[in-house]
Amino acid sequence: MKFIIQREQLMESVQNVMKAISSRTTIPILTGMKLEASEQGVKLTGSDSDISIESFIPAEEDGIVYVEQIEPGSIVLQAKYFPDIVRKLPQNTVEIETDNHRNVTIRSGSAEFHLNGQDAEEYPQLPQLHTEDSFELPIDLLKNLIRQTVFAVSTSETRPILTGVNVKIENEELQFTATDSHRLASRKLPLKSQETQISFNNVVIPGKSLTELNKILTDSDQVIEISVTDNQILFRTKHLYFLSRLLDGNYPETSRLIPDESKTVVTMDAKELLQSIDRASLLARENRNNVVRLITKGGNQIEINGNSPEVGDVVEEVNAETIEGEELKISFSAKYMMDALKAVGSDQVKVEFTGAMRPFLIRATDNNQVLQLILPVRTY
Amino acid sequence: MKFIIQREQLMESVQNVMKAISSRTTIPILTGMKLEASEQGVKLTGSDSDISIESFIPAEEDGIVYVEQIEPGSIVLQAKYFPDIVRKLPQNTVEIETDNHRNVTIRSGSAEFHLNGQDAEEYPQLPQLHTEDSFELPIDLLKNLIRQTVFAVSTSETRPILTGVNVKIENEELQFTATDSHRLASRKLPLKSQETQISFNNVVIPGKSLTELNKILTDSDQVIEISVTDNQILFRTKHLYFLSRLLDGNYPETSRLIPDESKTVVTMDAKELLQSIDRASLLARENRNNVVRLITKGGNQIEINGNSPEVGDVVEEVNAETIEGEELKISFSAKYMMDALKAVGSDQVKVEFTGAMRPFLIRATDNNQVLQLILPVRTY
């Protein structure tokens, strides 16, 4: 194998593929990165068996040459050193060459690295997905769906299914849902009519997979193709192939958690609410769960307060746009509330309460696509 | 005590003073920050008994009012929360008020924090330095003296005196020296004639003190006043008072370590040398001490190489400007060499070797004020 490649393109692909490589895998060859050169270009592969990522650098695209003097072949390199080597090479072009003894030479300018490679034949084959059930989404929309839900997955392995994001198509809507049983984040997306044909099983994608995918994808209105099988999901763009296993098991039915009536509704500026909760939480950190309190007041004001017996307390009155319904005192996790307000991503939010002991909802005032639910904390 | 203060000025002073406050001090009140309001302005104080910092915010300066409605008094606040509180306050003005029970109220906009204060009378008095032996340096020059030497202090407490930077005046020169016994960094500064009157004992300033001082001072051509007594050193600008204890004991005589002749002299571009050593060190990390090797070649070339038996090796030929004297193969710590090259801060450097087993020197080609010395590693 031999090729000469542009360092910048190589670096970007290496960084993407590294997201799937773990030094703690039980399969030694997966600590490496597979390089494959063909006449079409160079493909890099990384996998930790949960996530597999392939990144392709075409020999030529739009008249720009990225890879030259290609002699096809493949090798597996230790991933621990390769990214730093590529980043620190002195020139913009990099030559990578292997000999018959799997010795790899990386040349750039007058610098020459010699690395011990491993046989690419020993690298596991990535499964090829055969499915008709694929659909497309603009990349920036997919990134939003991920950002608005994935933070709410459970980090505990006591109920493994909750460490994933539930993705399903129902009532001509695509829906992402995550919950750790103390809060829930959900985002719905109406599908265009031609897309309502697609159907796949209600699937659960590991939260970690979606977090890594979100890091790799750069905001863009280009589309990404999503294919689902029984136990895997594939996200594919022109040069990226991102495969994740799915979680086994049934995701709990969450719709019954969502109250269908409310007793107190507050609409207000999202940023003001977020910042006052942030301040109240400063002195609530010593508490279990970082709990703050919200109290409705007359004159469309709410009071946010937090306290820590040893340190002191903080109290703040914030103007709401409107407060409708019953008076309310409620306590909740400041972190959950801040996460939810950021995820809603709207200037103005509507918070719907059904009493101090029932879950409450946070939505944008201008659409119902994003829904955040938080269980209050009992303090009275 | 009561005053209304500009948040930005308060924030800057709080951040400076925090550099002296440790949560691990054995004197509980030193985990707090002292606030003192007088008609002249507000003074903040922090100390971990090794370093003490006072920052003063004048009531008014150059026609700009920073502090208003001052009722003199003082209080000690828990430093753990105070910086975050100030940073997150909603408005540009902050009111701080204490009552007779040492309850402190911090108001900004509609946010109100209540903190439990402590009696300022219980806060240790900072020593007032009485000395005639003070001298002045431009702040940016002092920062350079610190940056070019302090990284070479020892981090081990086996010889505590080496954890400090030796500062002395000798031959009408101010000299900073640091060594961990594997390398040495020194910077000399010729004094102007009127300054040659000053004399103080050869002192040793804890490296940590200088590192913190360097962080607080912003590059400027304004002067800082330096006063020395037997066991303390004071750095003073208009609104900052930085006091550090000095280390006890005699600093070793380091001048005899510096070879006065050389057998091989290489002059070359500092950045090229730095980057090639950085690359060579990539595969030398698994080694003890991250050792790389330098070999002089014909045609004004040097070879830099690094290797790690399990991973591979890297070799690079770099053009020198000139190579004079004997041929040489020498091994040394890549980290020490990179630290030294950065500290010299010159485009071109001169490296003077006296054989593979003797310490070698790195200097700028255009002046001798900065001198870096490194002991090689025996590998042949």
Side-chain angles (χ1 to χ4, degrees):
Chain A
M1 184 189 75
K2 183 185 164 186
F3 56 86
I4 295 176
I5 193 165
Q6 294 300 304
R7 189 169 65 94
E8 224 170 279
Q9 271 64 39
L10 179 61
M11 190 71 242
E12 193 187 322
S13 281
V14 167
Q15 282 170 333
N16 285 344
V17 167
M18 283 302 290
K19 300 271 192 302
I21 300 178
S22 161
S23 54
R24 282 169 301 166
T25 171
T26 51
I27 307 167
I29 200 159
L30 291 186
T31 61
M33 184 183 296
K34 185 164 78 161
L35 281 72
E36 277 174 282
S38 68
E39 290 303 333
Q40 286 72 46
V42 172
K43 187 164 77 178
L44 308 183
T45 306
S47 176
D48 66 358
S49 64
D50 281 350
I51 302 175
S52 301
I53 302 174
E54 282 180 8
S55 179
F56 184 73
I57 303 154
E60 187 185 333
E61 191 177 53
D62 301 333
I64 302 170
V65 173
Y66 295 112
V67 195
E68 292 176 291
Q69 299 181 30
I70 302 171
E71 292 173 13
S74 58
I75 195 80
V76 175
L77 278 180
Q78 284 198 37
K80 187 173 171 190
Y81 302 96
F82 192 49
D84 271 347
I85 289 173
V86 175
R87 179 167 31 247
K88 293 188 172 176
L89 288 173
Q91 301 284 331
N92 291 333
T93 55
V94 181
E95 181 183 322
I96 299 183
E97 187 177 5
T98 58
D99 68 12
N100 294 333
H101 301 89
R102 294 194 284 274
N103 297 315
V104 185
T105 302
I106 303 171
R107 290 187 198 91
S108 179
S110 58
E112 191 171 305
F113 288 79
H114 303 110
L115 301 176
N116 308 320
Q118 286 175 275
D119 188 354
E121 295 296 317
E122 289 172 22
Y123 197 88
Q125 286 293 319
L126 296 195
Q128 296 304 310
L129 280 195
H130 296 288
T131 170
E132 306 279 294
D133 281 337
S134 76
F135 62 104
E136 291 183 342
L137 278 182
I139 288 174
D140 44 13
L141 197 49
L142 175 63
K143 284 176 69 76
N144 272 341
L145 288 161
I146 296 172
R147 280 193 290 239
Q148 291 172 329
T149 53
V150 76
F151 64 88
V153 299
S154 172
T155 53
S156 142
E157 285 292 334
T158 50
R159 286 183 70 190
I161 196 77
L162 295 187
T163 63
V165 175
N166 179 218
V167 176
K168 63 182 175 186
I169 292 174
E170 208 174 68
N171 305 326
E172 305 187 354
E173 287 180 322
L174 177 69
Q175 185 173 358
F176 277 48
T177 307
T179 180
D180 60 6
S181 74
H182 302 290
R183 53 160 165 189
L184 177 146
S186 121
R187 167 78 197 257
K188 285 179 180 165
L189 185 74
L191 292 174
K192 295 187 197 114
S193 54
Q194 75 273 22
E195 294 166 339
T196 57
Q197 311 303 323
I198 55 166
S199 69
F200 57 81
N201 290 329
N202 182 327
V203 298
V204 185
I205 308 171
K208 183 174 176 299
S209 299
L210 290 176
T211 302
E212 296 302 337
L213 177 63
N214 186 42
K215 283 186 202 158
I216 291 175
L217 296 174
T218 42
D219 267 312
S220 143
D221 54 6
Q222 293 188 316
V223 295
I224 186 162
E225 186 192 278
I226 304 170
S227 313
V228 180
T229 63
D230 278 351
N231 55 10
Q232 309 226 57
I233 186 165
L234 170 66
F235 298 87
R236 182 159 49 186
T237 65
K238 202 166 178 191
H239 298 313
L240 183 77
Y241 177 104
F242 185 105
L243 186 74
S244 168
R245 75 179 171 99
L246 294 171
L247 293 178
D248 268 342
N250 292 317
Y251 200 78
E253 183 52 59
T254 54
S255 58
R256 63 181 169 71
L257 295 175
I258 298 162
D260 46 12
E261 49 162 24
S262 56
K263 294 185 176 165
T264 313
V265 180
V266 177
T267 58
M268 67 180 296
D269 186 88
K271 199 173 160 193
E272 275 187 43
L273 182 57
L274 178 65
Q275 290 178 343
S276 66
I277 288 172
D278 192 13
R279 280 188 286 271
S281 81
L282 282 175
L283 296 190
R285 276 186 211 152
E286 308 268 294
N287 282 336
R288 191 176 56 97
N289 289 332
N290 194 2
V291 171
V292 298
R293 194 156 60 164
L294 180 151
I295 303 167
T296 57
K297 298 271 184 179
N300 277 343
Q301 291 222 306
I302 58 166
E303 180 188 302
I304 304 289
N305 72 53
N307 77 83
S308 161
E310 290 119 62
V311 190
D313 64 77
V314 49
V315 56
E316 181 164 0
E317 298 208 342
V318 194
N319 289 317
E321 187 71 22
T322 59
I323 302 178
E324 289 161 16
E326 299 176 3
E327 287 187 0
L328 179 77
K329 289 186 186 182
I330 191 168
S331 297
F332 47 82
S333 153
K335 180 178 184 305
Y336 290 175
M337 188 66 169
M338 290 192 283
D339 284 347
L341 287 166
K342 286 175 197 160
V344 167
S346 161
D347 290 344
Q348 214 182 39
V349 289
K350 181 166 65 170
V351 191
E352 297 166 67
F353 300 96
T354 324
M357 296 317 303
R358 298 290 314 280
F360 61 94
L361 303 177
I362 306 112
R363 292 190 237 241
T365 44
D366 54 0
N367 82 68
N368 278 334
Q369 290 190 1
V370 186
L371 181 136
Q372 303 287 334
L373 175 147
I374 296 173
L375 265 69
V377 174
R378 189 190 299 261
T379 56
Y380 291 98
Chain B
M1 183 188 77
K2 184 184 163 187
F3 57 85
I4 295 175
I5 192 164
Q6 293 301 303
R7 189 169 64 93
E8 224 170 281
Q9 271 65 37
L10 179 61
M11 190 71 241
E12 192 188 324
S13 282
V14 166
Q15 282 170 333
N16 286 344
V17 167
M18 282 304 289
K19 300 270 192 304
I21 300 178
S22 162
S23 55
R24 282 170 301 167
T25 171
T26 50
I27 307 167
I29 200 159
L30 291 185
T31 61
M33 184 183 297
K34 185 163 79 163
L35 281 72
E36 277 175 283
S38 68
E39 290 303 333
Q40 286 73 46
V42 172
K43 188 163 78 178
L44 307 183
T45 306
S47 176
D48 67 357
S49 67
D50 282 349
I51 302 175
S52 301
I53 302 175
E54 282 179 6
S55 179
F56 184 73
I57 304 155
E60 187 186 333
E61 191 176 57
D62 301 333
I64 301 170
V65 174
Y66 295 112
V67 195
E68 293 175 288
Q69 299 183 30
I70 302 170
E71 293 173 14
S74 59
I75 194 81
V76 175
L77 279 180
Q78 283 198 37
K80 188 173 171 189
Y81 302 95
F82 192 50
D84 270 347
I85 290 174
V86 175
R87 179 166 33 245
K88 293 187 171 176
L89 288 173
Q91 301 283 331
N92 290 333
T93 55
V94 181
E95 180 182 324
I96 299 184
E97 187 176 4
T98 58
D99 69 11
N100 293 333
H101 301 88
R102 294 193 284 274
N103 297 314
V104 185
T105 302
I106 303 172
R107 288 188 199 91
S108 179
S110 59
E112 191 171 304
F113 287 81
H114 304 110
L115 300 176
N116 309 319
Q118 287 176 274
D119 188 353
E121 294 296 315
E122 288 172 20
Y123 198 88
Q125 286 292 318
L126 295 196
Q128 295 305 310
L129 280 194
H130 295 286
T131 170
E132 306 279 297
D133 280 337
S134 77
F135 62 104
E136 290 183 343
L137 279 181
I139 289 174
D140 46 12
L141 197 49
L142 175 64
K143 283 175 71 75
N144 271 342
L145 287 162
I146 295 172
R147 281 192 291 240
Q148 290 171 332
T149 53
V150 76
F151 65 89
V153 300
S154 173
T155 53
S156 143
E157 286 292 335
T158 50
R159 285 183 70 190
I161 196 79
L162 295 187
T163 64
V165 175
N166 180 220
V167 177
K168 63 181 175 185
I169 292 175
E170 208 173 71
N171 306 327
E172 305 188 354
E173 285 180 324
L174 177 68
Q175 185 173 359
F176 277 49
T177 306
T179 179
D180 60 6
S181 75
H182 303 290
R183 54 160 163 190
L184 177 145
S186 119
R187 166 77 197 257
K188 286 178 180 168
L189 184 75
L191 293 173
K192 297 190 195 107
S193 55
Q194 75 271 22
E195 294 165 339
T196 57
Q197 311 303 322
I198 55 166
S199 69
F200 56 82
N201 291 329
N202 182 328
V203 297
V204 185
I205 308 171
K208 183 175 177 299
S209 299
L210 290 176
T211 301
E212 297 301 337
L213 177 63
N214 185 41
K215 283 185 202 160
I216 292 175
L217 297 174
T218 42
D219 267 312
S220 143
D221 53 6
Q222 292 188 316
V223 294
I224 187 163
E225 186 192 279
I226 304 170
S227 312
V228 179
T229 64
D230 278 351
N231 54 10
Q232 310 225 58
I233 185 164
L234 170 67
F235 298 87
R236 183 159 48 187
T237 65
K238 202 165 178 194
H239 298 311
L240 183 77
Y241 177 105
F242 185 105
L243 186 74
S244 168
R245 76 178 171 98
L246 294 172
L247 292 178
D248 268 341
N250 292 318
Y251 200 79
E253 183 52 60
T254 54
S255 57
R256 63 181 169 73
L257 295 176
I258 297 162
D260 45 13
E261 48 162 26
S262 56
K263 294 185 177 166
T264 313
V265 180
V266 177
T267 58
M268 67 180 296
D269 186 88
K271 199 172 158 192
E272 275 187 45
L273 182 57
L274 178 65
Q275 290 178 344
S276 66
I277 288 171
D278 192 12
R279 280 188 285 273
S281 80
L282 282 175
L283 297 190
R285 277 187 208 149
E286 308 269 291
N287 281 337
R288 194 176 55 96
N289 289 334
N290 194 1
V291 171
V292 298
R293 193 156 62 162
L294 182 151
I295 303 167
T296 57
K297 298 272 180 178
N300 276 344
Q301 292 220 306
I302 58 166
E303 180 188 303
I304 304 289
N305 73 52
N307 77 83
S308 158
E310 290 118 63
V311 190
D313 64 77
V314 48
V315 56
E316 182 164 359
E317 297 209 342
V318 195
N319 290 317
E321 185 73 24
T322 60
I323 302 177
E324 290 162 15
E326 299 178 4
E327 286 187 2
L328 179 78
K329 290 185 187 184
I330 190 168
S331 298
F332 49 81
S333 153
K335 181 180 184 303
Y336 290 175
M337 189 64 170
M338 290 192 283
D339 284 348
L341 287 167
K342 287 175 197 161
V344 168
S346 161
D347 290 344
Q348 216 183 37
V349 290
K350 182 166 62 170
V351 191
E352 298 166 67
F353 300 96
T354 324
M357 297 315 305
R358 300 289 314 278
F360 61 94
L361 304 178
I362 305 112
R363 293 190 236 240
T365 43
D366 54 2
N367 82 69
N368 279 334
Q369 289 189 3
V370 185
L371 181 137
Q372 302 287 333
L373 175 147
I374 296 173
L375 265 70
V377 175
R378 188 190 299 260
T379 56
Y380 290 96

